[in-house]
Amino acid sequence: MPLLKLLDGLQRWRGVVLASTVVVATIWLALTNQLILYIHPRYVVFTVIMAVLALVFIVASFALGRDGGDGHAHDVDHDHAVEVPSERQGALDRAVTVAAIVVSVAIGASLVIVPPATLTSATSDQREINSTGVGADVVSVDDANEASEGAFAAFTVLDWASLLRQSSDTSFYDGKPVDVVGFVTADDDDPENVFYVSRFIVTCCAVDAQPVGVPVYAPGWQDDLALDQWVRATGEFTTNPSRLSSQAIALDPDDIAVVGVPDEPYLF
Amino acid sequence: MTRQLESHQHPHEVRRRVTPGSVVWLAVGVLGLLGLFGLRVATADLGLAVPNQLQDFLTLSTSVIVESMPFVVLGILLSIAVQVWVPSSWMMRFMPRNPFARRAVISLLGVFLPVCECGNVPLARGLIIKGFTVSESMTFLLAAPILNPITIITTHQAFGWDDNILVARIVGGFLIANVVGWVFSRHPNQQGLLTERFASECRIADAHEQRDARFSRSVDLFRREASVILPALFIGSVVAGGIQVLVPRSVLVTLGSNPLWSILAMMVLAFIISICSNVDAFFVLPFASTFMPGSIVTFLVFGPVIDIKMLALMRTTFTTRVLVQVTVLVALLSALLGLVVNALA
């Protein structure tokens, strides 16, 4: 019964193998400073410590070896009886077991093969840009009134997006220079003329990423820019000339330059 | 007599760590790990032209796995500690005899064992093997993610004392865990609540208590728990990632301002997002401006226990029937809690 034996071995070691893929991927991401593509920086240390502990147990599992054969036959029998699909199980159960193995092996493989990436406009479309309120420690209109010109230049997409939610009074934005970096997503209502310079905010991990963005009025932007391209836009906010867009205020860009993906693509 | 039998059955027990066979396995394992690492380095800049949706699906699933894995490891380690290193009598000694008081104390165990919900599953499995009843372990599973210091601190950081969200979460989580524990303690066949596989594992553990050396037992437990929990985690993450890509978030957000619909929407959101209880308060904070406080509380009480990832993890231990019952019960109770908070607000 070589097949049963193989399946049995697979069952015994699948946890260690799957754990190895996660641990290897985690440690490599940490070494290359890319763990923040998946989790908030505050969890990086904890995640790495636990990955190293898991690594110790993985290596120890190997060192303890096959574990069957000598006097541990009861273990193997036990695993057989309950895990390996047997005649007692229906075809459906067997199919589910096989599907589960295939899915987890595929994901394990993707962990060590697929190059890490940031979320794309596909997700920001699903999650509707600026749809929810913003976090606790954002700039308020009052704070912004007292800030210096240099401070405005350092404002992120998130800072501006939260100000835009609070005030659509154009005089407030007069003389306040905007300089933001983000990726391009199209405006739902007026995709011809308006796009967003957007970022994702991550509170825990990429799963909870919420898109925020600054609307930019630039007719024909699609000739020069592609979706998901990273850009740096400078200019000032004015009344949005677009009739279709729901945004009252948009950036009137002085310059839109294509840039590389920043080291920290998410805002935290 | 037992001693003799043991030495007869395990002639190589003590020396097995240094047999040539195990050196070969160690070499194979380490080479395998190095191979994986090399593969990861080699494929780092692979120019895969993956469509956006697929790319995001992989990113989201990976992120659930990377985020949960440390808590799963911590849970497995604590489970090993409870099963192998803490004497059986020690933990039971502090437990009250009265079943209600006992469950109440158990629901506070999370204060000392601050693992997130995914780590709680291996820990709860360890507690059952160690002698907790099934309903008691369920109380622990429901209460510990909410009644633990990290969750309480992060919830306080996010909401302060606003709208009694923190108080409602703590009290509500405690009550729901104890009610559910009580309901399942009425079940005549406690072992019948467990999957056949886990139930037989409990019997094996009974029979072989104290047999192996502690270190090798610990490592063996790690291997076993990992092979049960990790496939479940992987599958839960894949489903959670897939749904994120397919279901537009706006469908839920538009329901936010209705007292009843906002609660249901938040339960669906909690179910889909499968986020850890230690951090879910930060996640839900931005919704506080559009959603009613009761629905936020529902999210914070329902989400830690019932979501896609957790159901996949809990399925390793409890039967499907039990999980459906727990889900319905917790959903109804947390919706009720949300309605009460909305009515008071």
Side-chain angles (χ1 to χ4, degrees):
Chain A
M1 302 196 294
L3 185 68
L4 264 187
K5 206 157 187 174
L6 181 72
L7 261 179
D8 183 54
L10 210 64
Q11 300 277 13
R12 289 182 71 74
W13 288 101
R14 65 177 174 192
V16 173
V17 169
L18 295 182
S20 302
T21 62
V22 184
V23 165
V24 165
T26 303
I27 292 177
W28 177 76
L29 284 170
L31 287 176
T32 53
N33 215 7
Q34 294 182 93
L35 210 45
I36 51 167
L37 294 181
Y38 298 101
I39 52 172
H40 192 282
R42 77 177 98 92
Y43 303 117
V44 166
V45 174
F46 173 62
T47 304
V48 169
I49 291 173
M50 289 333 256
V52 170
L53 281 177
L55 186 63
V56 170
F57 272 86
I58 289 169
V59 172
S61 304
F62 288 130
L64 280 188
R66 201 160 43 93
D67 210 46
D70 56 83
H72 264 252
H74 63 84
D75 251 14
V76 179
D77 285 347
H78 156 60
D79 282 1
H80 255 264
V82 279
E83 283 184 15
V84 176
S86 65
E87 308 81 63
R88 283 190 298 121
Q89 284 179 301
L92 183 69
D93 279 358
R94 221 169 313 170
V96 168
T97 309
V98 170
I101 292 176
V102 169
V103 168
S104 36
V105 168
I107 286 291
S110 86
L111 283 175
V112 287
I113 291 176
V114 177
T118 62
L119 289 170
T120 67
S121 55
T123 299
S124 72
D125 289 349
Q126 284 293 53
R127 299 186 176 182
E128 211 174 330
I129 204 158
N130 299 343
S131 63
T132 53
V134 276
D137 37 50
V138 292
V139 192
S140 74
V141 172
D142 294 339
D143 296 342
N145 271 330
E146 290 156 19
S148 68
E149 192 159 304
F152 291 117
F155 272 21
T156 63
V157 169
L158 172 60
D159 297 325
W160 286 116
S162 52
L163 284 175
L164 289 174
R165 279 179 70 90
Q166 297 169 52
S167 167
S168 57
D169 172 13
T170 44
S171 63
F172 170 76
Y173 298 99
D174 269 349
K176 296 186 167 115
V178 178
D179 183 351
V180 287
V181 173
F183 62 95
V184 174
T185 53
D187 184 49
D188 273 348
D189 305 315
D190 190 5
E192 305 276 298
N193 300 312
V194 179
F195 72 90
Y196 285 91
V197 174
S198 16
R199 297 291 279 262
F200 283 105
I201 313 171
V202 168
T203 50
C204 161
C205 51
V207 174
D208 64 53
Q210 316 243 22
V212 291
V214 168
V216 179
Y217 183 77
W221 60 269
Q222 267 144 338
D223 300 338
D224 305 312
L225 302 172
L227 281 180
D228 289 310
Q229 203 163 34
W230 282 81
V231 293
R232 175 178 180 176
T234 53
E236 244 180 63
F237 284 113
T238 57
T239 307
N240 189 355
S242 164
R243 289 183 182 184
L244 298 171
S245 172
S246 57
Q247 299 290 324
I249 292 191
L251 185 70
D252 176 20
D254 295 337
D255 182 46
I256 301 170
V258 174
V259 294
V261 181
D263 289 341
E264 288 193 0
Y266 302 139
L267 298 173
F268 301 106
Chain B
M1 160 72 195
T2 325
R3 197 65 245 165
Q4 269 174 345
L5 197 68
E6 233 172 65
S7 61
H8 172 68
Q9 278 188 342
H10 296 260
H12 308 300
E13 193 71 274
V14 188
R15 274 158 291 155
R16 112 183 130 163
R17 252 171 286 177
V18 285
T19 58
S22 66
V23 174
V24 172
W25 272 98
L26 179 61
V28 169
V30 171
L31 279 180
L33 281 172
L34 289 175
L36 278 182
F37 201 85
L39 186 62
R40 179 66 280 192
V41 173
T43 53
D45 297 317
L46 211 62
L48 289 181
V50 187
N52 274 354
Q53 248 107 7
L54 180 62
Q55 178 70 64
D56 283 2
F57 162 68
L58 287 174
T59 306
L60 292 170
S61 304
T62 306
S63 125
V64 177
I65 293 172
V66 170
E67 182 242 349
S68 312
M69 184 64 178
F71 294 103
V72 169
V73 173
L74 183 62
I76 292 178
L77 296 186
L78 284 173
S79 174
I80 290 172
V82 166
Q83 288 185 61
V84 181
W85 299 91
V86 178
S88 297
S89 56
W90 187 81
M91 240 169 36
M92 297 306 164
R93 196 181 302 158
F94 298 105
M95 293 291 167
R97 292 274 155 78
N98 174 298
F100 288 94
R102 218 172 133 87
R103 281 193 296 269
V105 171
I106 285 169
S107 46
L108 299 177
L109 274 185
V111 174
F112 307 103
L113 303 168
V115 263
C116 229
E117 65 258 31
C118 15
N120 274 339
V121 177
L123 188 49
R125 290 161 59 87
L127 291 174
I128 296 178
I129 287 177
K130 206 65 185 178
F132 274 37
T133 67
V134 176
S135 54
E136 282 167 359
S137 76
M138 212 174 268
T139 306
F140 170 77
L141 209 49
L142 296 177
I146 296 173
L147 296 170
N148 86 52
I150 302 175
T151 305
I152 293 171
I153 288 169
T154 52
T155 310
H156 182 258
Q157 277 174 350
F159 291 102
W161 300 103
D162 291 355
D163 299 322
N164 292 323
I165 286 175
L166 178 60
V167 176
R169 179 176 211 192
I170 295 173
V171 176
F174 179 84
L175 289 178
I176 290 175
N178 281 279
V179 169
V180 173
W182 172 72
V183 168
F184 278 94
S185 72
R186 312 287 297 168
H187 196 282
N189 177 12
Q190 292 280 307
Q191 292 302 309
L193 301 171
L194 300 174
T195 57
E196 197 184 318
R197 185 182 163 197
F198 182 61
S200 62
E201 204 161 301
C202 294
R203 287 195 289 276
I204 294 283
D206 284 348
H208 298 288
E209 183 103 27
Q210 307 300 332
R211 173 167 266 172
D212 297 334
R214 280 185 168 181
F215 278 105
S216 62
R217 270 191 71 204
S218 301
V219 173
D220 203 47
L221 265 178
F222 177 83
R223 182 181 62 69
R224 280 163 175 280
E225 283 302 307
S227 67
V228 174
I229 299 291
L230 283 185
L233 172 68
F234 274 41
I235 287 159
S237 310
V238 167
V239 176
I243 289 185
Q244 309 268 331
V245 173
L246 296 176
V247 180
R249 187 72 59 82
S250 53
V251 171
L252 298 174
V253 175
T254 45
L255 302 171
S257 52
N258 176 295
L260 181 61
W261 286 115
S262 67
I263 287 174
L264 294 178
M266 269 306 184
M267 288 204 303
V268 175
L269 183 65
F271 188 77
I272 292 173
I273 194 103
S274 302
I275 200 173
C276 262
S277 67
N278 285 351
V279 290
D280 57 359
F282 291 122
F283 168 76
V284 79
L285 181 60
F287 293 86
S289 54
T290 40
F291 278 74
M292 300 189 67
S295 60
I296 304 284
V297 170
T298 304
F299 176 93
L300 292 173
V301 174
F302 183 72
V305 198
I306 309 293
D307 60 43
I308 296 170
K309 184 184 66 184
M310 273 301 280
L311 287 183
L313 288 173
M314 290 197 291
R315 185 63 187 80
T316 61
T317 308
F318 301 106
T319 63
T320 310
R321 196 185 152 84
V322 169
L323 291 187
V324 171
Q325 290 165 343
V326 172
T327 305
V328 171
L329 203 53
V330 175
L332 290 176
L333 290 172
S334 47
L336 179 67
L337 178 69
L339 284 173
V340 170
V341 173
N342 271 352
L344 294 177

